[in-house]
Amino acid sequence: MTRAELLQKLKEVLGELFEIPAEKVKPEAKLFEELGLDSIDAVDLVVKLQVLTGRRIAPQEFKAVRTVGDVLDCIEKLLTTNEPAQT
């Protein structure tokens, strides 16, 4: 998937899970301050991303995520690793 395709999918996920309008989901948007997510929402997002990618996201990897762009970076990293998909 391209970064643009990942961003589109993330817009869909954030809209579905948290009713965030797609136009607010931009790479520079801050998850907590601008999009209104909290720590529980972040956990829900991680679970959904794990399902979508078929990969496990290590908590320490997602701890530093602050913006939509950071989430995209995390997803790209997951998709480009050679680790086996979760079962």
Side-chain angles (χ1 to χ4, degrees), residues 13-55:
V13 168
L14 290 171
E16 174 188 315
L17 290 177
F18 311 113
E19 298 179 1
I20 297 171
E23 63 271 6
K24 291 181 92 176
V25 182
K26 302 172 187 168
E28 66 276 6
K30 294 178 181 169
L31 296 172
F32 303 102
E33 295 88 354
E34 294 176 43
L35 300 183
L37 299 186
D38 61 26
S39 57
I40 300 298
D41 295 335
V43 171
D44 291 341
L45 179 58
V46 168
V47 169
K48 183 69 172 182
L49 294 175
Q50 288 181 149
V51 170
L52 288 174
T53 62
R55 308 244 181 216

Side-chain angles (χ1 to χ4, degrees), residues 44-85:
D44 291 341
L45 179 58
V46 168
V47 169
K48 183 69 172 182
L49 294 175
Q50 288 181 149
V51 170
L52 288 174
T53 62
R55 308 244 181 216
R56 184 178 180 281
I57 299 173
Q60 66 271 19
E61 295 229 355
F62 212 76
K63 238 181 190 178
V65 169
R66 298 286 177 257
T67 66
V68 170
D70 293 341
V71 174
L72 293 173
D73 292 342
C74 184
I75 295 169
E76 284 181 322
K77 184 177 176 183
L78 279 175
L79 294 176
T80 58
T81 62
N82 290 327
E83 297 173 17

